[in-house]
Each structure stands twice: as structure tokens, then as C-alpha cells.
């Protein structure tokens, strides 16, 4: 596909995950417009792209509507349901400017219920909507090896596939069925993540109370079912470095809230959510989510 054949793209949301994902789009030569709630981040992004890819220019838009106007593809990578609703349906939102037939790819983590509501509104305006949250942190996003959970009409998924293959390991780009299935899969993965982190925190706490030496504690956890996720937690334990965060604790709390909105009978998830809420309230919300284990071990 030549550069003249590529659709014009708008990318909305240039946070820790959005910026590297948008950079892959720019490197691929797409005509790109970007919007971010903090405009200075969008301007910095455009300057970085210009330095890396001199022949590529990036338009910085003042509103989501301005970014989406005249674009064939609009990508959203936003923090939560409130942000997605505002960017899609607000007075200066995508729906006020996008033309019928525009493909909307929402890679935000907002849960299946909200996803289906937004998808229905977008479809009612003649837009094509793909629910495609990604699993992974800043490193995989930068390397383009995220997991992608796509759902919606299969034709729309295939239209979005060139972008998924930029962001993710092609072997981990999955089509999961009707819209909302991707968001459901993402919540399940993040529930497992949150519960595993909390379980590690309690193991650390119990090890300390029982007076186990560090080497034995590490061996017990590393050879357990929690072993695969322990190295990063162990690094935090040993160095005390909780920032910069690959995935902020406040975002884990948001995702646990979303899980419980979908199914409030999840007792273990409720307990982990309360532990996470307590740690965030104590001022640790901007730390890496895996620091939850360390803070729990400390008795926060």
C-alpha cells in the first residue's frame, strides 16, 4: 500500500500507552492528526516525530472533533469510561465531526457494558466501531508486541488489522467476536493481574511476620504459581523504586472497579480493590501497580 493509499488517521490520547502506539502509526507513513487533553504533550509528540521522520508531519488538533474531521480512521487510547464518553459524544467530540463510514478503533479499557453503549451510538451515526483493548505495558507498546483483543464486526476488525499488527505481536492479535468481547477479555486479564499482585503482597507480609529469611522467601514465591510475575515485584522490594510506572496503580484500581461493575459478586476482587483503594488513598496511586504488593507487605 503506497502512502497515498493509506487512510488519514486521527489518534486521540497520547499518554504512556497512546504515545508509543501513535508513534508506530506515524512511522508507517500515515497522514496523522493527534489530540491530547494536555496540548503540550501533543505538540511534543509532533516535534519528536518530525525529528525522527523528517518527511512526516503531524497535525496537532485543539479538539477531538477537529482531529476526526476528514479522517477515515480514528483511534482512541484514553484513561476511563468518562474520558471516552466525553471524547466521543461531547460537544466537540468525534461524533460531531466524523463522516459516515469512519472506522473508530477504541483501545481504551472501559469494560464491555460501556463499550457496547458507545458502539451503538457510533453505529447509529454510521460509523464503524472496533473494540480493541491492548494488554501490556509501555515496553511492549514501544516494541510493538502488545496483545490485542479485537471485537466487533469481522469486516471492521480486518480493516483495523494493519494497525493491530503495528501495535502487537501478530501471533497475539485476536478476533474475539461481537463488540464488547475484547473489553471483557481485557478485564479478565487485569483481574488476574490484580489478584496475583495482592496474593504476592500477602505472601511477602506473612513471610515477614514468620521471620523467613529473604532468600527462602524469594525461592518459595519464585517456584510457586506466582513465580512468573515475581521478578518485577522482587526488584521493587530490593530497590525501593516504584517509579516510573509501567502501569500506574490508580489505573489498576480503575480496572478493578470496572470488573465489579460488571459482576459485583466477585468477593476476592472486592477485597483486592479495597486494598488497592487504601494504598492509593495513602498517596501511592502514581506508583507502578506491582508496588501494591510491597505496600501491602508494609501494612499500608
Amino acid at each position: 500500500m503506497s502512502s497515498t493509499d493509506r487512510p488519514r488517521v486521527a489518534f486521540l490520547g497520547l499518554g504512556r500507552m497512546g504515545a508509543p502506539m501513535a508513534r508506530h502509526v506515524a512511522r508507517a507513513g500515515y497522514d496523522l492528526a493527534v489530540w491530547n487533553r494536555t496540548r503540550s504533550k501533543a505538540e511534543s509528540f509532533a516535534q519528536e516525530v518530525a525529528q525522527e521522520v523528517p518527511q512526516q508531519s503531524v497535525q496537532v488538533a485543539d479538539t477531538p472533533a477537529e482531529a476526526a474531521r476528514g479522517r477515515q480512521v480514528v483511534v482512541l487510547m484514553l484513561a476511563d469510561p468518562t474520558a471516552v464518553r466525553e471524547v466521543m459524544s461531547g460537544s466537540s467530540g468525534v461524533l460531531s465531526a466524523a463522516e459516515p463510514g469512519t472506522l473508530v478503533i477504541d483501545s481504551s479499557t472501559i469494560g464491555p457494558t460501556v463499550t457496547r453503549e458507545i458502539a451503538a451510538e457510533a453505529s447509529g451515526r454510521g460509523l464503524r466501531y472496533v473494540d480493541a483493548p491492548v494488554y501490556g505495558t509501555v515496553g511492549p507498546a514501544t516494541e510493538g508486541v502488545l496483545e490485542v483483543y479485537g471485537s466487533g464486526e469481522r469486516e471492521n476488525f480486518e480493516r483495523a488489522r494493519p494497525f493491530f499488527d503495528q501495535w502487537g505481536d501478530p501471533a497475539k492479535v485476536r478476533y474475539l467476536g461481537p463488540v464488547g468481547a475484547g473489553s471483557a477479555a481485557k478485564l479478565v486479564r487485569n483481574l488476574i493481574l490484580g489478584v496475583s499482585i495482592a496474593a504476592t503482597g500477602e505472601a511477602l507480609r506473612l513471610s515477614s511476620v514468620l521471620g523467613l529469611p529473604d532468600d527462602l522467601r524469594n525461592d518459595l514465591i519464585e517456584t510457586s504459581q506466582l513465580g512468573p510475575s515475581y521478578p518485577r515485584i522482587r526488584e521493587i522490594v530490593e530497590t525501593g523504586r516504584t517509579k516510573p510506572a509501567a502501569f500506574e496503580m490508580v489505573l489498576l484500581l480503575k480496572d478493578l472497579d470496572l470488573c465489579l461493575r460488571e459482576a459485583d459478586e466477585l468477593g476476592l476482587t472486592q477485597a483486592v480493590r479495597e486494598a488497592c483503594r487504601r494504598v492509593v488513598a495513602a498517596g501511592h496511586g502514581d506508583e507502578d501497580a506491582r508496588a501494591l504488593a510491597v505496600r501491602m507487605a508494609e501494612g499500608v
Side-chain angles (χ1 to χ4, degrees):
M1 182 184 292
S2 70
S3 59
T4 56
D5 295 329
R6 291 190 176 100
R8 303 177 70 219
V9 179
F11 202 107
L12 313 180
L14 297 171
R16 292 183 185 272
M17 295 292 288
M21 291 168 66
R23 192 168 286 110
H24 288 301
V25 177
R27 287 170 178 163
Y30 289 90
D31 183 335
L32 182 63
V34 297
W35 172 87
N36 193 73
R37 189 176 305 277
T38 304
R39 182 183 170 90
S40 60
K41 288 186 178 181
E43 292 173 342
S44 296
F45 174 85
Q47 292 170 2
E48 291 166 5
V49 169
Q51 292 174 356
E52 181 183 354
V53 191
Q55 69 274 19
Q56 178 77 322
S57 62
V58 176
Q59 174 187 334
V60 176
D62 289 321
T63 65
E66 180 184 332
R69 188 170 291 112
R71 302 280 157 173
Q72 288 80 45
V73 179
V74 177
V75 182
L76 282 70
M77 190 59 180
L78 302 166
D80 54 40
T82 299
V84 173
R85 282 194 171 105
E86 181 180 346
V87 166
M88 285 293 292
S89 307
S91 58
S92 298
V94 172
L95 295 181
S96 70
E99 299 172 359
T102 299
L103 176 67
V104 177
I105 303 171
D106 190 358
S107 289
S108 315
T109 300
I110 57 175
T113 297
V114 174
T115 291
R116 294 185 188 109
E117 292 171 357
I118 293 172
E121 188 174 5
S123 297
R125 300 290 185 92
L127 308 185
R128 300 172 178 269
Y129 185 94
V130 177
D131 164 38
V134 297
Y135 185 80
T137 55
V138 176
T142 301
E143 296 169 11
V145 293
L146 295 165
E147 295 182 39
V148 181
Y149 300 141
S151 64
E153 293 186 15
R154 186 63 187 249
E155 178 185 355
N156 296 337
F157 173 84
E158 295 301 336
R159 288 185 63 192
R161 182 79 193 225
F163 299 97
F164 300 157
D165 288 346
Q166 293 170 30
W167 303 329
D169 178 346
K172 296 180 180 179
V173 174
R174 303 175 63 184
Y175 174 69
L176 299 180
V179 69
S183 285
K186 177 64 183 293
L187 286 192
V188 170
R189 286 299 299 267
N190 278 10
L191 181 152
I192 294 169
L193 174 66
V195 170
S196 298
I197 291 171
T200 304
E202 295 221 326
L204 291 171
R205 179 68 173 170
L206 182 61
S207 297
S208 176
V209 170
L210 296 178
L212 294 182
D214 291 351
D215 57 348
L216 176 57
R217 174 203 68 195
N218 292 336
D219 179 66
L220 290 171
I221 298 176
E222 287 172 345
T223 58
S224 76
Q225 292 86 345
L226 298 172
S229 64
Y230 187 55
R232 295 180 67 181
I233 295 174
R234 179 177 176 175
E235 181 182 357
I236 293 173
V237 171
E238 294 177 347
T239 66
R241 290 195 298 269
T242 61
K243 304 174 190 177
F247 175 50
E248 291 183 350
M249 203 179 309
V250 69
L251 294 179
L252 174 61
L253 176 58
K254 180 264 297 184
D255 291 346
L256 294 173
D257 279 336
L258 289 174
C259 291
L260 291 166
R261 290 181 199 175
E262 300 290 342
D264 60 7
E265 69 277 9
L266 303 173
L268 182 57
T269 304
Q270 289 177 352
V272 176
R273 192 261 307 267
E274 291 311 307
C276 191
R277 181 178 287 168
R278 183 175 65 250
V279 172
V280 168
H284 303 290
D286 61 346
E287 295 180 351
D288 192 279
R290 287 169 177 80
L292 173 64
V294 179
R295 300 307 176 195
M296 291 177 64
E298 293 171 346
V300 177

